[in-house]
Amino acid sequence: MRHGSLRRKRRPAARPRLDLLEPWEQAVDEQTARAHILPGVHGFPYRPRSTEDVPDGALGALRRAVGAGDADDLLVLPAHTRPGRLGDSRLQILTPSSVLGFGPGGVALWVGAPALPGVRVALHPQRVAAIETAHILLYARLTIFATDARLNVHYNAVSGHHLHPLVQSLRRRVARTELDMPDAPAPNAGLPYKWRRLLTSDAARLDDGDPVAAVAGALPVPRRSEAAYAAVVLTPRELVVLADPVHADTTGGRHGLDTHAIPRASIEQVRADGPLLRVRVCGADLQLPLGQELSARVVHEFARYLPIAP
């Protein structure tokens, strides 16, 4: 076979769908789901006050996996459900109780599956390529991409304030190297108040006082849809993409935010590919649907500070 006829295999897109089914999850009917979950606020994720509030065996396993110190380093997620895959209203996806643990060794997920409880995913900081969050009304998701693995959890957004400081601690461990910054202020003109606030919030910055440079603008949306915006933020340690949830039903407004936090030192290449901004990091391609205009502006504005594809 001639070498010219060989087709180069494309890297998979590192952007999971909201309805991914994990190996420890199962699709069940409503009656089965009710038998496994706690009602009301008792079923919300929480930071345990003491080790007595942690499922048996979880803390010890997470200490061994990533060095989680005590209950303050954990988020307990009681068994919960979400709508069935592909919108099947007859079934719900049941997730058993689980515990996220954070420590010097990264992040790990302990799952209390009845058959075989234990740590199912452990990601070390040097392997983390990107940290993604998706927030749509009361539904939220955290996805952490690594070189050869992925950690994915769904949770009620009401409990987001419990998870946020733990994710921030992971971001600081992952993005430790500071790189050069442009002398460009974050653009505020013409942006809604939500976005002017976000550009200087801890969604974009790891620490107060971190300089930021940003390229912001409107996202492509269907006709007669509410306007949507995104901002690509450069900080000394990260490239952060903030975007309205254009994949959601917006009849009640765009109540939510999608984020990607990418360590700058791990970025291998950035390029605009039509409506996509592609970021190659740790051997995987993140495909960010920012639209042709905004993707091209990002590449142009940050050409001196990111490894832009020729």
Side-chain angles (χ1 to χ4, degrees), residues 128-133 142-145 167 170-171 174 259-261:
V128 173
I131 300 171
E132 177 187 7
T133 63
L142 168 69
T143 302
I144 304 171
F145 302 104
V167 173
L170 177 64
R171 286 173 60 183
V174 170
T259 73
H260 288 79

Side-chain angles (χ1 to χ4, degrees), residues 159-178:
S159 300
H161 65 285
H162 291 306
L163 178 59
H164 180 73
L166 296 172
V167 173
Q168 289 295 96
S169 69
L170 177 64
R171 286 173 60 183
R172 292 187 182 97
R173 290 185 176 111
V174 170
R176 302 178 65 90
T177 303
E178 293 193 3

Side-chain angles (χ1 to χ4, degrees), residues 275-297:
L276 299 176
L277 181 70
R278 291 182 180 267
V279 182
R280 184 182 301 166
V281 53
C282 296
D285 284 342
L286 287 173
Q287 300 182 16
L288 305 170
L290 302 182
Q292 186 168 349
E293 179 181 351
L294 186 54
S295 297
R297 286 176 53 208

